[in-house]
Amino acid sequence: MATLAAIVASQAVVSATFSIAKQCHALGCFPRIKIVHKSKWVHRQTYVPEINWALMILCLAVTVGSQDTIHLGNAYGQSLFFFSINISYSILKTSKLRLSFCGYA
């Protein structure tokens, strides 16, 4: 079950990274990269070779650098904690901004 969860999580990371890179490229705030469309019929299915290599190198560096599954698990827990704090802060800032536009804050 843990293996399936890891596969789903890795696919989510890859898809999100490709999506963010494609959106940044479309907005002009990302350097020129090669975006490969894997399917003629599905427009959202893209592949960015440079991003894929960077993700692979980062994953290998984290795995080799952790030296133990306990350290790897602790790093995962810390990343989830900081991600949750970041999302909560972003939601609060966004809701406060929306309330100020409506004249409530």
Side-chain angles (χ1 to χ4, degrees), residues 28-92:
C29 58
F30 203 75
R32 290 183 177 221
I33 54 174
K34 180 180 177 183
I35 297 176
V36 179
H37 296 279
K38 297 301 282 181
S39 175
K40 293 179 184 178
W41 300 279
V42 181
H43 296 290
R44 295 180 186 160
Q45 198 172 20
T46 60
Y47 173 71
V48 184
E50 293 88 1
I51 301 291
N52 200 29
W53 278 98
L55 283 174
M56 182 192 67
I57 291 169
L58 288 172
C59 286
L60 287 174
V62 167
T63 304
V64 170
S66 66
Q67 300 175 351
D68 190 9
T69 56
I70 293 173
H71 291 113
L72 192 59
N74 289 341
Y76 177 72
Q78 289 174 353
S79 66
L80 283 180
F81 172 75
F82 288 116
F83 176 76
S84 300
I85 294 295
N86 188 15
I87 291 296
S88 299
Y89 177 75
S90 299
I91 290 171
L92 287 174

Tab-separated table of all heavy atoms in Angstrom, residues 28-92:
chain	number	residue	atom	x	y	z
A	28	GLY	N	5.527	34.251	-19.374
A	28	GLY	CA	6.773	34.907	-19.724
A	28	GLY	C	7.725	35.100	-18.550
A	28	GLY	O	8.647	35.900	-18.651
A	29	CYS	N	7.512	34.404	-17.448
A	29	CYS	CA	8.397	34.563	-16.286
A	29	CYS	C	9.237	33.311	-16.060
A	29	CYS	O	9.647	33.019	-14.949
A	29	CYS	CB	7.583	34.898	-15.038
A	29	CYS	SG	6.346	33.687	-14.612
A	30	PHE	N	9.496	32.577	-17.094
A	30	PHE	CA	10.298	31.357	-17.021
A	30	PHE	C	11.153	31.303	-18.281
A	30	PHE	O	10.698	31.709	-19.351
A	30	PHE	CB	9.362	30.136	-16.952
A	30	PHE	CG	9.987	28.919	-16.349
A	30	PHE	CD1	10.193	28.840	-14.989
A	30	PHE	CD2	10.367	27.864	-17.145
A	30	PHE	CE1	10.751	27.714	-14.422
A	30	PHE	CE2	10.930	26.732	-16.593
A	30	PHE	CZ	11.122	26.661	-15.219
A	31	PRO	N	12.387	30.857	-18.183
A	31	PRO	CA	13.217	30.808	-19.398
A	31	PRO	C	12.642	29.849	-20.445
A	31	PRO	O	11.796	29.016	-20.138
A	31	PRO	CB	14.571	30.316	-18.890
A	31	PRO	CG	14.327	29.750	-17.558
A	31	PRO	CD	13.091	30.369	-17.019
A	32	ARG	N	13.124	29.985	-21.644
A	32	ARG	CA	12.635	29.120	-22.721
A	32	ARG	C	12.981	27.668	-22.439
A	32	ARG	O	14.125	27.331	-22.169
A	32	ARG	CB	13.250	29.528	-24.053
A	32	ARG	CG	12.742	30.838	-24.540
A	32	ARG	CD	13.322	31.142	-25.897
A	32	ARG	NE	12.747	32.389	-26.367
A	32	ARG	CZ	12.371	32.574	-27.608
A	32	ARG	NH1	12.539	31.645	-28.495
A	32	ARG	NH2	11.851	33.721	-27.960
A	33	ILE	N	11.976	26.837	-22.486
A	33	ILE	CA	12.158	25.404	-22.270
A	33	ILE	C	11.422	24.655	-23.369
A	33	ILE	O	10.511	25.180	-24.000
A	33	ILE	CB	11.634	24.950	-20.884
A	33	ILE	CG1	10.185	25.383	-20.679
A	33	ILE	CG2	12.511	25.451	-19.772
A	33	ILE	CD1	9.553	24.852	-19.428
A	34	LYS	N	11.843	23.443	-23.566
A	34	LYS	CA	11.207	22.595	-24.572
A	34	LYS	C	10.008	21.906	-23.931
A	34	LYS	O	10.155	21.157	-22.962
A	34	LYS	CB	12.214	21.561	-25.070
A	34	LYS	CG	11.664	20.626	-26.107
A	34	LYS	CD	12.733	19.636	-26.526
A	34	LYS	CE	12.181	18.642	-27.516
A	34	LYS	NZ	13.178	17.637	-27.866
A	35	ILE	N	8.820	22.178	-24.446
A	35	ILE	CA	7.602	21.538	-23.955
A	35	ILE	C	7.131	20.567	-25.029
A	35	ILE	O	6.862	20.961	-26.164
A	35	ILE	CB	6.503	22.566	-23.638
A	35	ILE	CG1	6.964	23.486	-22.517
A	35	ILE	CG2	5.204	21.875	-23.274
A	35	ILE	CD1	6.003	24.587	-22.186
A	36	VAL	N	7.069	19.303	-24.669
A	36	VAL	CA	6.677	18.257	-25.608
A	36	VAL	C	5.245	17.843	-25.288
A	36	VAL	O	4.927	17.513	-24.152
A	36	VAL	CB	7.614	17.028	-25.478
A	36	VAL	CG1	7.192	15.942	-26.434
A	36	VAL	CG2	9.051	17.442	-25.699
A	37	HIS	N	4.391	17.892	-26.295
A	37	HIS	CA	3.020	17.420	-26.128
A	37	HIS	C	2.983	15.943	-26.497
A	37	HIS	O	3.274	15.567	-27.624
A	37	HIS	CB	2.060	18.225	-27.001
A	37	HIS	CG	1.999	19.670	-26.611
A	37	HIS	ND1	1.230	20.126	-25.568
A	37	HIS	CD2	2.649	20.752	-27.095
A	37	HIS	CE1	1.394	21.416	-25.435
A	37	HIS	NE2	2.255	21.831	-26.361
A	38	LYS	N	2.639	15.109	-25.508
A	38	LYS	CA	2.726	13.669	-25.685
A	38	LYS	C	1.571	13.091	-26.492
A	38	LYS	O	1.660	11.996	-26.999
A	38	LYS	CB	2.769	12.970	-24.315
A	38	LYS	CG	3.991	13.343	-23.485
A	38	LYS	CD	5.273	13.010	-24.173
A	38	LYS	CE	5.577	11.543	-24.074
A	38	LYS	NZ	6.822	11.159	-24.716
A	39	SER	N	0.480	13.804	-26.602
A	39	SER	CA	-0.671	13.265	-27.307
A	39	SER	C	-1.261	14.332	-28.222
A	39	SER	O	-1.296	15.513	-27.881
A	39	SER	CB	-1.732	12.801	-26.296
A	39	SER	OG	-2.893	12.394	-26.969
A	40	LYS	N	-1.728	13.915	-29.372
A	40	LYS	CA	-2.364	14.855	-30.295
A	40	LYS	C	-3.763	15.235	-29.829
A	40	LYS	O	-4.238	16.319	-30.099
A	40	LYS	CB	-2.474	14.233	-31.692
A	40	LYS	CG	-1.161	14.007	-32.371
A	40	LYS	CD	-1.389	13.368	-33.722
A	40	LYS	CE	-0.072	13.027	-34.391
A	40	LYS	NZ	-0.268	12.353	-35.681
A	41	TRP	N	-4.417	14.333	-29.108
A	41	TRP	CA	-5.805	14.539	-28.747
A	41	TRP	C	-5.978	15.109	-27.339
A	41	TRP	O	-6.947	15.774	-27.070
A	41	TRP	CB	-6.566	13.225	-28.859
A	41	TRP	CG	-6.503	12.702	-30.245
A	41	TRP	CD1	-7.275	13.082	-31.297
A	41	TRP	CD2	-5.594	11.734	-30.747
A	41	TRP	NE1	-6.913	12.409	-32.429
A	41	TRP	CE2	-5.873	11.552	-32.122
A	41	TRP	CE3	-4.564	10.981	-30.192
A	41	TRP	CZ2	-5.176	10.675	-32.916
A	41	TRP	CZ3	-3.875	10.103	-30.983
A	41	TRP	CH2	-4.184	9.954	-32.338
A	42	VAL	N	-5.036	14.857	-26.445
A	42	VAL	CA	-5.127	15.362	-25.076
A	42	VAL	C	-4.165	16.529	-24.942
A	42	VAL	O	-2.951	16.348	-24.956
A	42	VAL	CB	-4.787	14.248	-24.044
A	42	VAL	CG1	-4.911	14.782	-22.636
A	42	VAL	CG2	-5.685	13.045	-24.244
A	43	HIS	N	-4.698	17.738	-24.817
A	43	HIS	CA	-3.866	18.937	-24.810
A	43	HIS	C	-3.122	19.138	-23.494
A	43	HIS	O	-2.127	19.818	-23.447
A	43	HIS	CB	-4.718	20.168	-25.112
A	43	HIS	CG	-5.309	20.143	-26.484
A	43	HIS	ND1	-4.551	20.303	-27.615
A	43	HIS	CD2	-6.574	19.948	-26.901
A	43	HIS	CE1	-5.328	20.222	-28.680
A	43	HIS	NE2	-6.566	20.006	-28.266
A	44	ARG	N	-3.611	18.578	-22.412
A	44	ARG	CA	-2.987	18.801	-21.107
A	44	ARG	C	-1.833	17.852	-20.831
A	44	ARG	O	-1.181	17.977	-19.815
A	44	ARG	CB	-4.031	18.652	-20.018
A	44	ARG	CG	-5.104	19.709	-20.104
A	44	ARG	CD	-6.112	19.537	-19.030
A	44	ARG	NE	-7.187	20.494	-19.239
A	44	ARG	CZ	-8.370	20.386	-18.730
A	44	ARG	NH1	-8.660	19.375	-17.959
A	44	ARG	NH2	-9.279	21.286	-18.965
A	45	GLN	N	-1.594	16.915	-21.672
A	45	GLN	CA	-0.542	15.933	-21.430
A	45	GLN	C	0.761	16.442	-22.040
A	45	GLN	O	0.998	16.331	-23.230
A	45	GLN	CB	-0.941	14.592	-22.041
A	45	GLN	CG	-0.168	13.438	-21.498
A	45	GLN	CD	-0.747	12.128	-21.993
A	45	GLN	OE1	-1.458	12.080	-22.983
A	45	GLN	NE2	-0.436	11.065	-21.297
A	46	THR	N	1.606	17.041	-21.171
A	46	THR	CA	2.863	17.623	-21.630
A	46	THR	C	4.032	16.952	-20.922
A	46	THR	O	3.869	16.292	-19.902
A	46	THR	CB	2.909	19.134	-21.351
A	46	THR	OG1	2.780	19.347	-19.950
A	46	THR	CG2	1.822	19.857	-22.097
A	47	TYR	N	5.202	17.168	-21.490
A	47	TYR	CA	6.437	16.620	-20.939
A	47	TYR	C	7.532	17.659	-21.124
A	47	TYR	O	7.696	18.208	-22.205
A	47	TYR	CB	6.788	15.313	-21.663
A	47	TYR	CG	8.129	14.747	-21.306
A	47	TYR	CD1	8.354	14.187	-20.060
A	47	TYR	CD2	9.166	14.791	-22.211
A	47	TYR	CE1	9.587	13.668	-19.727
A	47	TYR	CE2	10.410	14.267	-21.896
A	47	TYR	CZ	10.609	13.705	-20.648
A	47	TYR	OH	11.837	13.202	-20.320
A	48	VAL	N	8.258	17.949	-20.060
A	48	VAL	CA	9.352	18.914	-20.110
A	48	VAL	C	10.624	18.177	-19.695
A	48	VAL	O	10.803	17.862	-18.516
A	48	VAL	CB	9.090	20.119	-19.181
A	48	VAL	CG1	10.185	21.147	-19.321
A	48	VAL	CG2	7.730	20.733	-19.466
A	49	PRO	N	11.508	17.863	-20.641
A	49	PRO	CA	12.685	17.055	-20.315
A	49	PRO	C	13.594	17.679	-19.252
A	49	PRO	O	14.091	16.978	-18.368
A	49	PRO	CB	13.422	16.932	-21.651
A	49	PRO	CG	12.412	17.236	-22.698
A	49	PRO	CD	11.428	18.150	-22.069
A	50	GLU	N	13.808	18.994	-19.312
A	50	GLU	CA	14.692	19.641	-18.338
A	50	GLU	C	14.140	19.534	-16.920
A	50	GLU	O	14.879	19.285	-15.967
A	50	GLU	CB	14.909	21.117	-18.697
A	50	GLU	CG	15.691	21.337	-19.968
A	50	GLU	CD	14.804	21.367	-21.196
A	50	GLU	OE1	13.565	21.232	-21.073
A	50	GLU	OE2	15.359	21.520	-22.306
A	51	ILE	N	12.840	19.724	-16.773
A	51	ILE	CA	12.201	19.616	-15.453
A	51	ILE	C	12.275	18.185	-14.951
A	51	ILE	O	12.513	17.931	-13.760
A	51	ILE	CB	10.738	20.102	-15.527
A	51	ILE	CG1	10.656	21.543	-15.991
A	51	ILE	CG2	10.040	19.905	-14.201
A	51	ILE	CD1	11.170	22.555	-15.006
A	52	ASN	N	12.076	17.238	-15.849
A	52	ASN	CA	12.129	15.823	-15.455
A	52	ASN	C	13.515	15.452	-14.928
A	52	ASN	O	13.644	14.765	-13.914
A	52	ASN	CB	11.741	14.947	-16.640
A	52	ASN	CG	11.318	13.575	-16.212
A	52	ASN	OD1	10.814	13.394	-15.116
A	52	ASN	ND2	11.518	12.605	-17.084
A	53	TRP	N	14.570	15.913	-15.598
A	53	TRP	CA	15.930	15.637	-15.146
A	53	TRP	C	16.213	16.309	-13.805
A	53	TRP	O	16.848	15.727	-12.918
A	53	TRP	CB	16.947	16.087	-16.191
A	53	TRP	CG	17.125	15.078	-17.278
A	53	TRP	CD1	16.529	15.086	-18.500
A	53	TRP	CD2	17.929	13.899	-17.227
A	53	TRP	NE1	16.921	13.985	-19.226
A	53	TRP	CE2	17.786	13.244	-18.459
A	53	TRP	CE3	18.752	13.344	-16.266
A	53	TRP	CZ2	18.434	12.058	-18.752
A	53	TRP	CZ3	19.406	12.158	-16.562
A	53	TRP	CH2	19.239	11.532	-17.788
A	54	ALA	N	15.749	17.545	-13.650
A	54	ALA	CA	15.962	18.257	-12.379
A	54	ALA	C	15.253	17.541	-11.224
A	54	ALA	O	15.824	17.390	-10.140
A	54	ALA	CB	15.469	19.693	-12.498
A	55	LEU	N	14.029	17.076	-11.462
A	55	LEU	CA	13.308	16.328	-10.424
A	55	LEU	C	14.030	15.035	-10.072
A	55	LEU	O	14.118	14.658	-8.897
A	55	LEU	CB	11.879	16.022	-10.886
A	55	LEU	CG	10.890	17.163	-10.832
A	55	LEU	CD1	9.573	16.748	-11.467
A	55	LEU	CD2	10.661	17.622	-9.414
A	56	MET	N	14.552	14.343	-11.075
A	56	MET	CA	15.266	13.098	-10.815
A	56	MET	C	16.515	13.352	-9.966
A	56	MET	O	16.770	12.646	-8.980
A	56	MET	CB	15.671	12.415	-12.116
A	56	MET	CG	16.380	11.090	-11.882
A	56	MET	SD	17.178	10.405	-13.339
A	56	MET	CE	18.481	11.564	-13.637
A	57	ILE	N	17.278	14.380	-10.318
A	57	ILE	CA	18.505	14.680	-9.578
A	57	ILE	C	18.181	15.096	-8.147
A	57	ILE	O	18.844	14.658	-7.196
A	57	ILE	CB	19.319	15.754	-10.320
A	57	ILE	CG1	19.882	15.156	-11.611
A	57	ILE	CG2	20.428	16.318	-9.450
A	57	ILE	CD1	20.467	16.159	-12.562
A	58	LEU	N	17.141	15.909	-7.966
A	58	LEU	CA	16.755	16.318	-6.620
A	58	LEU	C	16.272	15.138	-5.779
A	58	LEU	O	16.609	15.030	-4.592
A	58	LEU	CB	15.685	17.402	-6.686
A	58	LEU	CG	16.158	18.772	-7.152
A	58	LEU	CD1	14.974	19.706	-7.360
A	58	LEU	CD2	17.117	19.362	-6.139
A	59	CYS	N	15.485	14.245	-6.389
A	59	CYS	CA	15.012	13.059	-5.653
A	59	CYS	C	16.169	12.159	-5.251
A	59	CYS	O	16.214	11.644	-4.126
A	59	CYS	CB	14.011	12.278	-6.490
A	59	CYS	SG	12.419	13.072	-6.607
A	60	LEU	N	17.115	11.966	-6.155
A	60	LEU	CA	18.283	11.151	-5.812
A	60	LEU	C	19.125	11.813	-4.727
A	60	LEU	O	19.620	11.132	-3.816
A	60	LEU	CB	19.130	10.904	-7.062
A	60	LEU	CG	18.554	9.923	-8.071
A	60	LEU	CD1	19.420	9.877	-9.321
A	60	LEU	CD2	18.430	8.542	-7.461
A	61	ALA	N	19.276	13.134	-4.777
A	61	ALA	CA	20.056	13.834	-3.756
A	61	ALA	C	19.398	13.718	-2.391
A	61	ALA	O	20.084	13.486	-1.378
A	61	ALA	CB	20.215	15.297	-4.143
A	62	VAL	N	18.087	13.848	-2.336
A	62	VAL	CA	17.386	13.717	-1.054
A	62	VAL	C	17.477	12.288	-0.539
A	62	VAL	O	17.721	12.046	0.650
A	62	VAL	CB	15.915	14.159	-1.202
A	62	VAL	CG1	15.086	13.743	-0.003
A	62	VAL	CG2	15.843	15.653	-1.396
A	63	THR	N	17.318	11.310	-1.429
A	63	THR	CA	17.370	9.915	-1.002
A	63	THR	C	18.756	9.527	-0.517
A	63	THR	O	18.903	8.903	0.536
A	63	THR	CB	16.952	8.994	-2.167
A	63	THR	OG1	15.659	9.396	-2.623
A	63	THR	CG2	16.893	7.557	-1.727
A	64	VAL	N	19.788	9.899	-1.241
A	64	VAL	CA	21.161	9.570	-0.841
A	64	VAL	C	21.565	10.384	0.390
A	64	VAL	O	22.233	9.878	1.293
A	64	VAL	CB	22.135	9.808	-2.021
A	64	VAL	CG1	23.573	9.703	-1.577
A	64	VAL	CG2	21.850	8.811	-3.133
A	65	GLY	N	21.144	11.636	0.444
A	65	GLY	CA	21.513	12.493	1.554
A	65	GLY	C	20.849	12.140	2.865
A	65	GLY	O	21.368	12.447	3.937
A	66	SER	N	19.715	11.478	2.822
A	66	SER	CA	19.009	11.158	4.064
A	66	SER	C	19.674	10.019	4.826
A	66	SER	O	19.633	9.988	6.050
A	66	SER	CB	17.557	10.812	3.777
A	66	SER	OG	17.492	9.619	3.035
A	67	GLN	N	20.292	9.069	4.154
A	67	GLN	CA	21.063	7.962	4.717
A	67	GLN	C	20.253	6.995	5.578
A	67	GLN	O	20.797	6.020	6.060
A	67	GLN	CB	22.239	8.483	5.546
A	67	GLN	CG	23.207	9.313	4.768
A	67	GLN	CD	24.276	9.910	5.652
A	67	GLN	OE1	24.205	9.838	6.870
A	67	GLN	NE2	25.272	10.508	5.036
A	68	ASP	N	18.985	7.276	5.831
A	68	ASP	CA	18.195	6.402	6.688
A	68	ASP	C	16.713	6.673	6.409
A	68	ASP	O	16.324	7.803	6.117
A	68	ASP	CB	18.523	6.694	8.152
A	68	ASP	CG	17.936	5.679	9.103
A	68	ASP	OD1	17.417	4.661	8.623
A	68	ASP	OD2	18.009	5.914	10.328
A	69	THR	N	15.895	5.652	6.534
A	69	THR	CA	14.473	5.842	6.284
A	69	THR	C	13.821	6.709	7.356
A	69	THR	O	12.853	7.403	7.075
A	69	THR	CB	13.751	4.483	6.209
A	69	THR	OG1	13.989	3.757	7.410
A	69	THR	CG2	14.218	3.680	5.017
A	70	ILE	N	14.360	6.703	8.562
A	70	ILE	CA	13.803	7.541	9.631
A	70	ILE	C	14.042	9.021	9.305
A	70	ILE	O	13.132	9.849	9.435
A	70	ILE	CB	14.421	7.167	10.993
A	70	ILE	CG1	13.962	5.760	11.371
A	70	ILE	CG2	14.032	8.177	12.067
A	70	ILE	CD1	14.619	5.203	12.603
A	71	HIS	N	15.246	9.340	8.836
A	71	HIS	CA	15.527	10.728	8.447
A	71	HIS	C	14.677	11.152	7.255
A	71	HIS	O	14.213	12.288	7.188
A	71	HIS	CB	17.008	10.904	8.113
A	71	HIS	CG	17.908	10.784	9.300
A	71	HIS	ND1	18.788	9.744	9.444
A	71	HIS	CD2	18.037	11.555	10.401
A	71	HIS	CE1	19.442	9.889	10.574
A	71	HIS	NE2	18.999	10.990	11.182
A	72	LEU	N	14.458	10.240	6.332
A	72	LEU	CA	13.636	10.543	5.168
A	72	LEU	C	12.185	10.789	5.597
A	72	LEU	O	11.526	11.717	5.109
A	72	LEU	CB	13.715	9.405	4.156
A	72	LEU	CG	13.169	9.651	2.769
A	72	LEU	CD1	13.885	10.812	2.110
A	72	LEU	CD2	13.317	8.410	1.923
A	73	GLY	N	11.686	9.981	6.520
A	73	GLY	CA	10.333	10.175	7.047
A	73	GLY	C	10.196	11.483	7.801
A	73	GLY	O	9.178	12.179	7.691
A	74	ASN	N	11.229	11.842	8.572
A	74	ASN	CA	11.201	13.119	9.288
A	74	ASN	C	11.198	14.293	8.316
A	74	ASN	O	10.503	15.286	8.531
A	74	ASN	CB	12.394	13.216	10.238
A	74	ASN	CG	12.264	12.293	11.420
A	74	ASN	OD1	11.173	11.833	11.750
A	74	ASN	ND2	13.385	12.000	12.063
A	75	ALA	N	11.982	14.195	7.259
A	75	ALA	CA	12.013	15.261	6.256
A	75	ALA	C	10.652	15.395	5.577
A	75	ALA	O	10.187	16.508	5.307
A	75	ALA	CB	13.097	14.980	5.225
A	76	TYR	N	10.000	14.281	5.323
A	76	TYR	CA	8.664	14.302	4.713
A	76	TYR	C	7.671	14.988	5.644
A	76	TYR	O	6.880	15.830	5.218
A	76	TYR	CB	8.223	12.880	4.391
A	76	TYR	CG	6.838	12.786	3.817
A	76	TYR	CD1	6.578	13.214	2.528
A	76	TYR	CD2	5.789	12.255	4.561
A	76	TYR	CE1	5.306	13.137	1.993
A	76	TYR	CE2	4.519	12.171	4.038
A	76	TYR	CZ	4.281	12.610	2.758
A	76	TYR	OH	3.029	12.535	2.235
A	77	GLY	N	7.727	14.654	6.929
A	77	GLY	CA	6.835	15.277	7.902
A	77	GLY	C	7.072	16.776	8.018
A	77	GLY	O	6.122	17.560	8.100
A	78	GLN	N	8.325	17.187	8.010
A	78	GLN	CA	8.641	18.612	8.089
A	78	GLN	C	8.163	19.353	6.845
A	78	GLN	O	7.657	20.475	6.938
A	78	GLN	CB	10.140	18.819	8.276
A	78	GLN	CG	10.633	18.416	9.640
A	78	GLN	CD	12.141	18.501	9.744
A	78	GLN	OE1	12.840	18.743	8.765
A	78	GLN	NE2	12.656	18.294	10.945
A	79	SER	N	8.316	18.726	5.692
A	79	SER	CA	7.869	19.396	4.465
A	79	SER	C	6.350	19.541	4.454
A	79	SER	O	5.825	20.573	4.030
A	79	SER	CB	8.346	18.637	3.229
A	79	SER	OG	7.731	17.374	3.164
A	80	LEU	N	5.624	18.543	4.954
A	80	LEU	CA	4.165	18.658	5.036
A	80	LEU	C	3.760	19.751	6.016
A	80	LEU	O	2.815	20.501	5.772
A	80	LEU	CB	3.544	17.332	5.462
A	80	LEU	CG	3.454	16.263	4.396
A	80	LEU	CD1	2.810	15.010	4.969
A	80	LEU	CD2	2.668	16.735	3.201
A	81	PHE	N	4.471	19.836	7.140
A	81	PHE	CA	4.164	20.862	8.126
A	81	PHE	C	4.342	22.255	7.532
A	81	PHE	O	3.449	23.105	7.629
A	81	PHE	CB	5.063	20.686	9.354
A	81	PHE	CG	4.949	21.804	10.347
A	81	PHE	CD1	3.841	21.898	11.164
A	81	PHE	CD2	5.947	22.763	10.440
A	81	PHE	CE1	3.722	22.942	12.073
A	81	PHE	CE2	5.839	23.800	11.346
A	81	PHE	CZ	4.718	23.889	12.168
A	82	PHE	N	5.482	22.510	6.901
A	82	PHE	CA	5.728	23.835	6.333
A	82	PHE	C	4.812	24.129	5.151
A	82	PHE	O	4.408	25.274	4.935
A	82	PHE	CB	7.199	23.994	5.953
A	82	PHE	CG	8.092	24.132	7.151
A	82	PHE	CD1	9.042	23.176	7.418
A	82	PHE	CD2	7.955	25.206	8.007
A	82	PHE	CE1	9.861	23.295	8.531
A	82	PHE	CE2	8.756	25.340	9.122
A	82	PHE	CZ	9.717	24.376	9.390
A	83	PHE	N	4.448	23.097	4.394
A	83	PHE	CA	3.489	23.277	3.301
A	83	PHE	C	2.133	23.696	3.859
A	83	PHE	O	1.483	24.600	3.335
A	83	PHE	CB	3.368	21.985	2.490
A	83	PHE	CG	2.340	22.053	1.404
A	83	PHE	CD1	2.592	22.746	0.240
A	83	PHE	CD2	1.123	21.426	1.548
A	83	PHE	CE1	1.645	22.823	-0.763
A	83	PHE	CE2	0.175	21.489	0.553
A	83	PHE	CZ	0.439	22.182	-0.609
A	84	SER	N	1.697	23.047	4.937
A	84	SER	CA	0.410	23.384	5.555
A	84	SER	C	0.417	24.811	6.098
A	84	SER	O	-0.564	25.547	5.945
A	84	SER	CB	0.091	22.410	6.691
A	84	SER	OG	0.015	21.101	6.214
A	85	ILE	N	1.519	25.202	6.734
A	85	ILE	CA	1.630	26.571	7.243
A	85	ILE	C	1.579	27.568	6.091
A	85	ILE	O	0.884	28.596	6.164
A	85	ILE	CB	2.943	26.739	8.046
A	85	ILE	CG1	2.911	25.876	9.305
A	85	ILE	CG2	3.215	28.200	8.386
A	85	ILE	CD1	1.867	26.273	10.307
A	86	ASN	N	2.265	27.268	5.007
A	86	ASN	CA	2.297	28.162	3.843
A	86	ASN	C	0.907	28.293	3.217
A	86	ASN	O	0.473	29.397	2.882
A	86	ASN	CB	3.304	27.647	2.821
A	86	ASN	CG	3.514	28.618	1.689
A	86	ASN	OD1	3.142	29.775	1.772
A	86	ASN	ND2	4.119	28.143	0.624
A	87	ILE	N	0.212	27.192	3.061
A	87	ILE	CA	-1.134	27.226	2.475
A	87	ILE	C	-2.090	27.991	3.383
A	87	ILE	O	-2.894	28.805	2.910
A	87	ILE	CB	-1.647	25.796	2.211
A	87	ILE	CG1	-0.846	25.148	1.091
A	87	ILE	CG2	-3.135	25.780	1.889
A	87	ILE	CD1	-0.988	25.833	-0.257
A	88	SER	N	-2.013	27.752	4.695
A	88	SER	CA	-2.887	28.458	5.628
A	88	SER	C	-2.643	29.958	5.578
A	88	SER	O	-3.582	30.761	5.559
A	88	SER	CB	-2.663	27.950	7.051
A	88	SER	OG	-2.953	26.583	7.134
A	89	TYR	N	-1.380	30.353	5.545
A	89	TYR	CA	-1.044	31.772	5.458
A	89	TYR	C	-1.558	32.372	4.149
A	89	TYR	O	-2.117	33.474	4.144
A	89	TYR	CB	0.477	31.951	5.570
A	89	TYR	CG	0.927	33.373	5.427
A	89	TYR	CD1	0.753	34.278	6.467
A	89	TYR	CD2	1.532	33.808	4.254
A	89	TYR	CE1	1.171	35.593	6.332
A	89	TYR	CE2	1.946	35.124	4.125
A	89	TYR	CZ	1.765	36.009	5.166
A	89	TYR	OH	2.169	37.297	5.027
A	90	SER	N	-1.410	31.655	3.054
A	90	SER	CA	-1.872	32.159	1.754
A	90	SER	C	-3.383	32.323	1.731
A	90	SER	O	-3.898	33.305	1.200
A	90	SER	CB	-1.441	31.208	0.635
A	90	SER	OG	-0.052	31.116	0.585
A	91	ILE	N	-4.100	31.377	2.320
A	91	ILE	CA	-5.565	31.468	2.362
A	91	ILE	C	-5.999	32.654	3.204
A	91	ILE	O	-6.907	33.406	2.829
A	91	ILE	CB	-6.172	30.153	2.886
A	91	ILE	CG1	-5.998	29.047	1.839
A	91	ILE	CG2	-7.642	30.318	3.243
A	91	ILE	CD1	-6.369	27.673	2.322
A	92	LEU	N	-5.340	32.842	4.348
A	92	LEU	CA	-5.690	33.975	5.205
A	92	LEU	C	-5.416	35.308	4.512
A	92	LEU	O	-6.231	36.237	4.581
A	92	LEU	CB	-4.927	33.893	6.526
A	92	LEU	CG	-5.390	32.816	7.493
A	92	LEU	CD1	-4.469	32.740	8.693
A	92	LEU	CD2	-6.819	33.079	7.933
